[in-house]
């Protein structure tokens, strides 16, 4: 009985995404809502443009490892120690993976006058919004949308390098800004050597037809490298004062929400302001991580598997703290917590044949002989008595039906 | 740090209240 009450019954055929996009039915406050799609799914234009270069799941998970390393590294060292010149980035080798190239979600916004639509990765784990710009003075990668041309926009202007706005880049990017012909030069690097360098500028940003922001500060990237999967750049939704929520605070009060779709063949939304928020929402307190104040810190205090709370102390989670990040694919737990989670999960999944590990995922199953499977429910508990039941599609990471894995992983150390 | 990643956020409505210092979750957020 406990199994029935505390498990998801999943049709195995539903585990793989469709090759056809199905639009979500949710109608939000459309005035301030953008459609969210997975970068590599059939709902994304990028998918149709560049099917041949879609990464494998193993590659996506490796990129996810790079992103997590980058986050840990950022939290481990002080910021603002590296000065960036526009020419420097040309000498930085980009490896065959990119932190922002991992399993990420994209939205389309408009920039400039007349407005040009750009598909950008949305990322709560970074702050600066940037897009590739013409002219490309270093390396630029292939993108789906036409590259933004500031010279064709009547509302574009550079930020001066002697301004306080320019100096504020240090906290937002972790790099001291540079100067080129009086223009402020920004540089942001994403830990695995992918980067964007260019002119810091302001421009009209059109989120929706009714939500338009003049003088939005963004990076006009003239030297960009990494596997960005055809996206034109990135929207930084972090907590720094240069992030999009901070720059639009007068209208939205730093209030935004999103829903990531259940699969890459369906859509979600990114919405700004109070409109469309569920009345059933449960809130926990945001915390601040002292070494990385732009991250959204949260307090995880417990986990349950199959309705049973794991016997781990809340202090185990608070030793290293936790953040929420839209750009990290797999939730990372303190290793002691992960061991307890996977051990209980394995116990409740013992009727299914095991499969080979997939990269960082070590608890995998072969469902080829089953038409439906029963998977234990998992809930995460946050400070303030907030229980968040994870959707069935959030418990499993599916490579193929013969390799379906528990979608959690452990950090290296409980104090990470 | 631990990280609450995007696979686990699927179908939840995740609400950021930067001024109020709160983070919210609602199930069934996409449909």
């Amino acid at each position: 009985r406990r199994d029935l009450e505390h498990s998801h019954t999943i049709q195995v055929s539903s585990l793989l995404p469709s090759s056809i996009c199905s639009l979500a039915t949710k109608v939000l406050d459309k005035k301030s809502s953008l459609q969210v799609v997975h970068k590599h799914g059939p709902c994304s234009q990028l998918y149709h443009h560049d099917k041949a270069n879609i990464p494998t799941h193993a590659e996506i998970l490796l990129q996810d490892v790079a992103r997590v390393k980058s986050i840990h590294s950022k939290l481990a060292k002080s910021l603002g120690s590296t000065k960036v010149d526009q020419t420097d980035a040309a000498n930085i080798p980009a490896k065959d993976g990119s932190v922002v190239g991992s399993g990420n979600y994209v939205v389309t916004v408009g920039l400039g006058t007349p407005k040009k639509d750009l598909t950008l990765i949305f990322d709560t784990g970074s702050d600066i919004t940037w897009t590739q710009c013409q002219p490309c003075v270093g390396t630029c990668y292939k993108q789906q949308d036409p590259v933004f041309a500031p010279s064709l926009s009547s509302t574009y202007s550079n930020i001066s390098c002697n301004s306080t706005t320019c100096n504020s880049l240090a906290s937002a990017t972790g790099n001291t800004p540079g100067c080129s012909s009086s223009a402020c030069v920004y540089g942001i690097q994403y830990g695995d050597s992918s980067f964007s360098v260019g002119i810091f500028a302001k421009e009209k940003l059109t989120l929706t037809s009714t939500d338009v922001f003049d003088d939005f500060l963004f990076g006009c990237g003239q030297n960009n490298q990494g596997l960005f999967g055809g996206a034109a750049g990135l929207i930084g939704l972090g907590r720094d004062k240069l992030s999009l929520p901070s720059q639009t605070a007068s209208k939205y009060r730093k209030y935004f929400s999103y829903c990531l779709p259940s699969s890459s063949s369906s859509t979600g939304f990114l919405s700004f302001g109070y409109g469309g928020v569920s009345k059933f929402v449960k809130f926990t307190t945001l915390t601040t991580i002292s070494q990385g104040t732009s991250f959204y810190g949260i307090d995880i205090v417990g986990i349950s598997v199959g309705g049973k709370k794991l016997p781990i102390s809340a202090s185990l989670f608070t030793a290293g703290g936790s953040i929420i990040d839209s750009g990290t694919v797999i939730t990372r737990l303190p290793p002691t917590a992960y061991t307890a989670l996977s051990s209980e999960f394995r116990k409740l999944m013992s009727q299914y044949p095991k499969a080979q590990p997939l990269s960082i995922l070590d608890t995998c199953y072969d469902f080829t002989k089953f038409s439906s499977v029963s998977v234990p429910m998992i809930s995460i508990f946050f400070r303030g008595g907030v229980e968040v039941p994870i959707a069935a599609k959030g418990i499993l990471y599916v490579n193929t039906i013969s390799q379906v894995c528990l979608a959690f992983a452990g950090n290296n150390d409980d104090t990470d | 740090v631990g990280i609450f990643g995007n696979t686990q956020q699927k179908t939840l409505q995740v609400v950021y209240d930067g001024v109020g210092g709160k983070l919210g979750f609602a199930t069934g957020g996409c449909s």
Side-chain angles (χ1 to χ4, degrees), chain A residues 26 72 103 253-260 278 282 284 286 320-323 326 328-329 331-332 394 407 411 416, chain B residues 1-19 21-27 29-31:
Chain A
K26 176 122 185 170
H72 284 161
R253 305 271 300 155
K254 298 186 186 177
Y255 201 99
F256 66 98
S257 66
Y258 58 75
C259 182
L260 305 179
S278 165
K282 291 181 285 187
T284 185
L286 279 171
S322 300
I323 62 166
S326 69
T328 297
V329 179
T331 288
R332 303 307 205 277
N411 277 325
D416 275 352
Chain B
V1 294
I3 304 171
F4 191 53
N6 67 36
T7 300
Q8 283 66 41
Q9 296 174 42
K10 282 179 179 178
T11 77
L12 294 168
Q13 184 172 17
V14 186
V15 183
Y16 292 73
D17 180 355
V19 172
K22 295 183 297 181
L23 181 81
F25 298 97
T27 53
C30 291
S31 58

Side-chain angles (χ1 to χ4, degrees), chain A residues 81-401:
Chain A
S81 57
T82 314
K83 186 169 166 61
V84 175
D85 287 323
Q86 200 169 13
T87 50
D88 283 349
N91 301 317
I92 300 171
K95 295 174 187 170
D96 60 343
S98 145
V99 170
V100 288
S102 56
N104 285 303
Y105 295 88
V106 294
V107 294
T108 300
V109 299
L111 196 67
T113 309
K115 172 175 84 78
K116 300 293 180 191
D117 284 342
L118 299 168
T119 300
L120 305 177
I121 294 162
F122 88 88
D123 184 10
T124 61
S126 63
D127 296 297
I128 289 291
T129 297
W130 62 267
T131 186
Q132 293 201 108
C133 277
Q134 295 180 25
C136 182
V137 298
T139 312
C140 290
Y141 60 86
K142 201 172 134 195
Q143 69 177 53
Q144 159 72 15
D145 301 311
V147 176
F148 184 71
S151 60
L152 301 180
S153 171
S154 62
T155 43
Y156 174 93
S157 61
N158 290 343
I159 299 297
S160 158
C161 51
N162 294 320
S163 63
T164 52
T165 303
C166 184
N167 289 331
S168 60
L169 279 167
S171 67
T173 63
N175 296 309
T176 307
C179 195
S180 173
S181 305
S182 301
C184 178
V185 176
Y186 79 94
I188 185 158
Q189 194 170 4
Y190 295 96
D192 68 340
S193 298
S194 64
F195 62 82
S196 173
V197 177
I199 303 298
F200 198 47
K202 56 186 178 181
E203 179 57 286
K204 180 183 277 191
L205 174 72
T206 303
L207 291 179
T208 66
S209 58
T210 57
D211 290 32
V212 180
F213 297 89
D214 292 326
D215 299 332
F216 180 78
L217 297 163
F218 79 109
C220 208
Q222 296 182 320
N223 196 350
N224 319 292
Q225 210 165 310
L227 297 177
F228 295 96
L234 183 143
I235 290 184
L237 294 171
R239 302 171 88 178
D240 188 87
K241 63 184 174 185
L242 290 180
S243 73
L244 189 146
S246 295
Q247 288 197 56
T248 58
S250 60
K251 184 174 178 73
Y252 303 133
R253 305 271 300 155
K254 298 186 186 177
Y255 201 99
F256 66 98
S257 66
Y258 58 75
C259 182
L260 305 179
S262 60
S263 83
S264 59
S265 56
S266 56
T267 61
F269 64 83
L270 170 62
S271 187
F272 294 96
Y274 298 106
V277 170
S278 165
K279 61 183 175 187
F280 299 112
V281 67
K282 291 181 285 187
F283 284 99
T284 185
T285 307
L286 279 171
T287 62
T288 302
I289 308 278
S290 56
Q291 304 93 324
T293 52
S294 69
F295 289 121
Y296 292 96
I298 46 174
D299 281 338
I300 296 175
V301 295
I303 299 176
S304 71
V305 180
K308 179 181 159 192
K309 200 98 177 264
L310 297 176
I312 40 181
S313 157
S315 62
L316 180 69
F317 295 102
T318 49
S322 300
I323 62 166
I324 183 167
D325 178 25
S326 69
T328 297
V329 179
I330 299 296
T331 288
R332 303 307 205 277
L333 297 170
T336 304
Y338 175 68
T339 301
L341 165 66
S342 59
S343 166
E344 185 63 23
F345 189 83
R346 284 176 198 206
K347 211 182 290 176
L348 296 171
M349 292 286 286
S350 57
Q351 71 271 38
Y352 300 110
K354 287 196 176 138
Q356 287 296 308
L358 172 65
S359 183
I360 53 171
L361 307 179
D362 64 5
T363 302
C364 302
Y365 297 91
D366 179 352
F367 290 154
T368 45
K369 293 189 175 140
F370 300 87
S371 57
S372 76
V373 291
S374 180
V375 175
M377 290 180 176
I378 294 178
S379 280
I380 308 286
F381 294 84
F382 295 93
R383 185 170 301 285
V386 175
E387 177 183 359
V388 177
I390 305 302
K393 290 287 181 77
I395 293 173
L396 300 173
Y397 192 91
V398 183
N399 185 23
T400 61
I401 294 303

